[in-house]
Amino acid sequence: MGLRCVCGISVEICPVLGIVDRNNNVDFLVNVMEACENCTVSCALSPADAGRCLLTSPEVTIPAEIIPVGPGVTPVTAIVFIQSCPITVTVTVTCLDEFGGIVCSDSAECTISRCVA
């Protein structure tokens, strides 16, 4: 039996005010233990049609809907194009075993409740 995979995510910066029809950044910190492999971070919006969300990290400079993360602490930025408010940004880290089963998952959310045009 090897080491257990432990992963976590927390909100670092959640803006109080969003700007409609612009990219708004929400910053998260992802923490993945050494025993984890095949870890990715994804982003979801609620309501889903309120905008779109892409992710970047120091290793991933071209924004994408799902990005890989390695062991250690990784700052991840959700770039949220807001079309309406309020909007909730949920970022999830998921680590898989060699068979594709989920061994660790955690999510954090940021609600941007007010917007200006």
Side-chain angles (χ1 to χ4, degrees):
M1 186 74 190
L3 291 169
R4 223 173 106 243
C5 169
V6 178
C7 63
I9 187 168
S10 59
V11 179
E12 191 175 32
I13 299 173
C14 179
V16 178
L17 192 65
I19 302 172
V20 176
D21 293 332
R22 294 275 189 278
N23 286 328
N24 298 260
N25 287 358
V26 183
D27 293 326
F28 295 85
L29 274 182
V30 178
N31 190 0
V32 171
M33 299 305 192
E34 291 290 339
C36 300
E37 293 180 357
N38 300 325
C39 299
T40 58
V41 178
S42 60
C43 185
L45 299 178
S46 179
D49 62 354
R52 66 179 180 270
C53 182
L54 296 174
L55 300 167
T56 61
S57 72
E59 291 79 35
V60 180
T61 53
I62 298 171
E65 290 181 5
I66 299 174
I67 63 170
V69 286
V73 176
T74 304
V76 172
T77 298
I79 303 167
V80 184
F81 185 84
I82 297 177
Q83 291 172 307
S84 65
C85 268
I87 186 170
T88 299
V89 183
T90 304
V91 173
T92 303
V93 57
T94 305
C95 299
L96 306 178
D97 62 19
E98 62 268 31
F99 308 109
I102 296 174
V103 290
C104 182
S105 182
D106 190 30
S107 60
E109 67 180 37
C110 159
T111 298
I112 302 170
S113 51
R114 296 190 310 134
C115 283
V116 293

